[in-house]
Every structure is written in structure tokens, then in C-alpha cells.
Amino acid sequence: MNNLIVYLMLVIFTGITNLNESLVNLTVDSFDRIFVTDTVGHIIEMYDVDFSLIDQYESEGDEIGQFEWPYGLCIDEERHQLLVCDIFNNRIQKAQL
């Protein structure tokens, strides 16, 4: 799915009205789960194909599993991992899916 289409569908189907410029990037895995970064909120959100929130990873900081401005993200389908570019911590974090 095109990222812009998914973004617009999130707005339409979830009724979320606070989607703004802090939601920087999104990606979709092979199970059609949608992963979205909220950079300012230091949050990664996961939605299902019906755009219902499945999970939220929210923790600001510099420890493993914490984020300081999560920016880009992608899925490594072969290893079943979510890769997150954690800008202010100068690292890429991996999470098992």
C-alpha cells in the first residue's frame, strides 16, 4: 500500500484528528499491520488492517526499547524484525515481531 493512502485511511477510519507532522513515517508488514512513528511523542504505534490500534510502544529515553525521536522505520520480513531509526540516540533499534 502507498504510504500516503495508508496515512489518509488512518485519518478517515480511526477518527483520529490529531495526526500531524509529528507522525513521520509508516510501514506495512506482510500481515498488513501498519507501523507508524510519532516522533514528538517518542511513540511507535501498530494498527491492524481495519485501522484499530493494536499496540503502542511509548517510552522516552536512551535505554534499550526507549526512543528519542523515532523517525524512520522498516520491516525486515526475513528476520521478523521492526527496525527503527532513533534519531537523537544515534542508533537503529530492532524489535522482534
Side-chain angles (χ1 to χ4, degrees):
M1 251 188 270
N2 179 297
N3 284 356
L4 177 59
I5 293 170
V6 172
Y7 183 87
L8 292 173
M9 292 174 80
L10 277 170
V11 173
I12 293 167
F13 291 109
T14 64
I16 297 172
T17 57
N18 63 344
L19 290 176
N20 55 42
E21 63 275 357
S22 74
L23 294 176
V24 174
N25 201 348
L26 58 89
T27 191
V28 180
D29 72 4
S30 60
F31 298 104
D32 290 332
R33 295 178 297 189
I34 303 160
F35 296 84
V36 181
T37 59
D38 179 343
T39 300
V40 175
H42 314 285
I43 301 168
I44 307 294
E45 297 174 326
M46 180 173 51
Y47 294 88
D48 67 14
V49 71
D50 296 319
F51 302 103
S52 298
L53 184 65
I54 298 171
D55 207 349
Q56 189 174 39
Y57 311 99
E58 177 180 8
S59 185
E60 181 179 0
D62 60 5
E63 300 295 322
I64 300 298
Q66 295 181 322
F67 305 104
E68 279 291 334
W69 283 63
Y71 189 79
L73 50 91
C74 67
I75 303 291
D76 180 344
E77 294 289 350
E78 189 174 302
R79 293 184 177 92
H80 305 287
Q81 293 177 333
L82 175 67
L83 305 171
V84 180
C85 180
D86 190 9
I87 294 286
F88 287 165
N89 284 325
N90 299 311
R91 64 185 176 188
I92 302 291
Q93 290 207 63
K94 297 185 283 186
Q96 206 62 34
L97 297 176

